[in-house]
Amino acid sequence: MSSSDADYIIVGGGISGAVIASRLKQNDPSLSITILEAGPDPQDKHDVRTPMGGFALQGSELDWQYQTEPNANTEKRTHTLTAGKTLGGGSILNYGGWSRGDAADYDAWSRLTGFQQWSYANLLPYFKRSERFDTAEKNVPELAPRGFSGPMKITSVSASSPERRYPLGEPLCKAWKELGVKLFPMVIGRHTTEDTSGHLQLIIEGYADSYIFSQSHGCIGQNQGLSEWLENWDNGQRQAVHQSYPLKGVRVLTGKSVRKITLSYDTGEPTGLSTSERSKATGVVLETGEEVRAHREVLLCAGAVGSPHLMMVSGIGPRPLSMEKTETPSPAKSSLEKLPVGMNMIDHFALYQLFKLHHSERGLALGHPDLNDPAFFLGLPSDFVVNEGLPRSLLEKALDEDGVTGAERDALLEPNRCFVEILVLYHPLSAPVPADGTYISSSVMLTIPSSRGRVSRAQDPSNHTPVIEPGYFATALDRVALIHGVRRLLCLMLGTNALRPYVESEVPPPGHEKLHPESSDAEIEARIRATGLAHYHTTGTCALGSVVDEELHVKEVENLRVCDASVLPTPVGGHPQATLYGVAEKAAEKILQASRGG
């Protein structure tokens, strides 16, 4: 017996694993819980607390740095996927954006799976459980979908400090207004007024009074329009999950890589002409060979690459062709191998761009000595974000080309669905480019990508590196949406009266021509294929309905659940951490109910 044996063995100490462990222990102190985290505890060695320090962690020992196979639709490039290999997981490496998807994104889960409890309305209490928005917002009816008493403090850029007013913020709002974007902010100013239709209006302090927003926005079930950026930085300090969700009483073991899940195959009562077999997870085996047993359940929280890969090397999910030729599985093992583990890989593909400013001596971007107030460094150097849909004609044409019909087509054609997120950052965020106030950058991100990839096991059984075929940019819908979003950004930066005096031009990557509002679709598409990257929001590889049931149990296996981003069956807009905290809260409640015989 290992000293690490416990009622619950949690593989992965990131967002999902830490939330679940904390909630289980808080609600039932008698439970024994062990977290096995492959990476280190980062506190002593790395700057994981401040925004600019945290941004440097990609590519460090705290990052899995998963390598994909060459992707045919991005000029056969190999992509590196960042994922947290550390206690705290993605909460240590991410950029702190806090945005849920639209209500329709979650309702697509329940419609696809038939699991009503995974609809937006039934997930909402768990989203709110994790959040702590400003209690001053509590009495605003439009903000009822937010949480106000959870562990994770959420704030807007302007609320983080009165001095955090980026010089380009107001011109950016004006430029979006020129393009006809509705101004739906999430920020709450300290002044209110009533518009002529009687709706509460919320004014962002420090900006012109003409920039009054008629509806609060962000984490309310509808993202379309322009809103102020929400983040979970707290006074410029990162809120790591294992600090916001205390792990007191939980045995946390770092530097513990798991080799496989241990399964038993219990012979049951004869059924017809054969004997039934039941698969049961009994624990895990570490890379050292040590076996750690779970008295109740094994909970996989190793991420959308790690969890499916661990399942496959344990005999759950498709086997490599090389093994199929040499081994004949038992009936129980054969049923496990039919589970579509590793399929349905989803990620938010994006194009990042760089822009040069006119007269950089004016102090418009970070790096200029005039912008040295500590308030500018309290979070991501941005303030407003836009989520947009597609013109219906473009959308219908793309869906026709992709052969999308029935309920899936109807869902994508619903009004106000958002297909792209556009974010402007007042810093180049690119190592070869000097951060001297001359450059700003941007991201145009697909929020509901329809392309799918997969994670699989290497053909050589001795190779424990996951094989990742990302499948980026493979559908007409993704191509049309991202090209449209990039064109909107180019019109914003270079084609509006509000920003034309500030932005000189796009700065293309070496070997590429500049893009501008008049660039053809083919030119924009070529740039995306050559330089587009993922946002490292991998999900979907152990999906609800196909791999796990509505209680998150792995089908065909007792005492094994998947509780991380792998279970998301369809894309969710926004940045996934807000969704993952809610999913983990729901998973913890389900596990507690089962432990009490509920």
Side-chain angles (χ1 to χ4, degrees), residues 159-448:
S160 66
S161 169
E163 307 304 319
R164 193 176 171 192
R165 297 291 183 269
Y166 297 102
L168 287 175
E170 189 167 331
L172 183 69
C173 285
K174 290 180 178 179
W176 278 121
K177 190 174 183 179
E178 280 186 55
L179 295 182
V181 172
K182 295 181 180 179
L183 307 180
F184 284 166
M186 57 98 354
V187 72
I188 300 296
R190 299 307 171 208
H191 308 290
T192 63
T193 184
E194 295 288 328
D195 69 10
T196 54
S197 60
H199 294 108
L200 180 68
Q201 295 184 326
L202 305 169
I203 302 173
I204 298 179
E205 293 181 337
Y207 292 97
D209 286 348
S210 60
Y211 297 95
I212 297 174
F213 301 91
S214 63
Q215 179 180 340
S216 180
H217 185 56
C219 292
I220 60 169
Q222 174 54 252
N223 289 334
Q224 189 178 53
L226 182 146
S227 69
E228 199 182 12
W229 183 247
L230 282 171
E231 53 194 6
N232 67 336
W233 297 98
D234 183 6
N235 194 31
Q237 297 291 297
R238 182 181 293 277
Q239 297 179 88
V241 61
H242 57 289
Q243 293 162 342
S244 297
Y245 283 79
L247 296 176
K248 183 179 180 181
V250 176
R251 185 177 180 86
V252 179
L253 302 177
T254 56
K256 298 292 184 181
S257 295
V258 175
R259 180 189 302 168
K260 68 176 183 178
I261 304 158
T262 53
L263 299 174
S264 69
Y265 299 92
D266 298 330
T267 302
E269 296 297 322
T271 56
L273 299 177
S274 64
T275 298
S276 64
E277 269 188 323
R278 297 192 303 273
S279 306
K280 179 186 294 185
T282 59
V284 300
V285 177
L286 305 182
E287 287 292 351
T288 60
E290 178 186 358
E291 183 172 350
V292 183
R293 290 187 292 182
H295 304 311
R296 299 195 181 198
E297 294 188 57
V298 175
L299 309 175
L300 298 187
C301 300
V305 174
S307 288
H309 186 253
L310 180 58
M311 290 170 68
M312 284 184 279
V313 300
S314 305
I316 307 169
R319 283 194 299 171
L321 292 175
S322 59
M323 291 180 63
E324 289 181 4
K325 295 176 182 178
T326 59
E327 298 180 18
T328 301
S330 69
K333 292 181 180 179
S334 180
S335 67
L336 294 184
E337 292 170 5
K338 292 177 182 176
L339 292 174
V341 176
M343 307 302 286
N344 191 52
M345 176 183 163
I346 304 165
D347 209 334
H348 289 150
F349 195 64
L351 183 69
Y352 298 88
Q353 290 171 268
L354 189 68
F355 292 86
K356 185 178 181 181
L357 298 174
H358 288 298
H359 307 296
S360 59
E361 72 277 2
R362 290 186 289 183
L364 299 174
L366 293 193
H368 190 280
D370 286 354
L371 296 186
N372 60 4
D373 192 305
F376 291 122
F377 301 91
L378 291 177
L380 193 71
S382 185
D383 42 17
F384 296 100
V385 61
V386 163
N387 284 271
E388 285 200 303
L390 287 174
R392 190 176 178 94
S393 59
L394 288 180
L395 178 55
E396 289 185 331
K397 183 177 179 181
L399 295 178
D400 288 343
E401 186 174 338
D402 289 334
V404 179
T405 59
E408 182 184 0
R409 182 186 184 94
D410 293 342
L412 291 170
L413 288 171
E414 285 181 7
N416 301 321
R417 294 303 301 271
C418 296
F419 291 87
V420 290
E421 176 204 84
I422 302 174
L423 184 67
V424 175
L425 304 104
Y426 310 125
H427 187 283
L429 292 183
S430 178
V433 178
D436 60 3
T438 303
Y439 302 98
I440 60 176
S441 57
S442 64
S443 160
V444 180
M445 181 182 84
L446 289 173
T447 55
I448 316 180

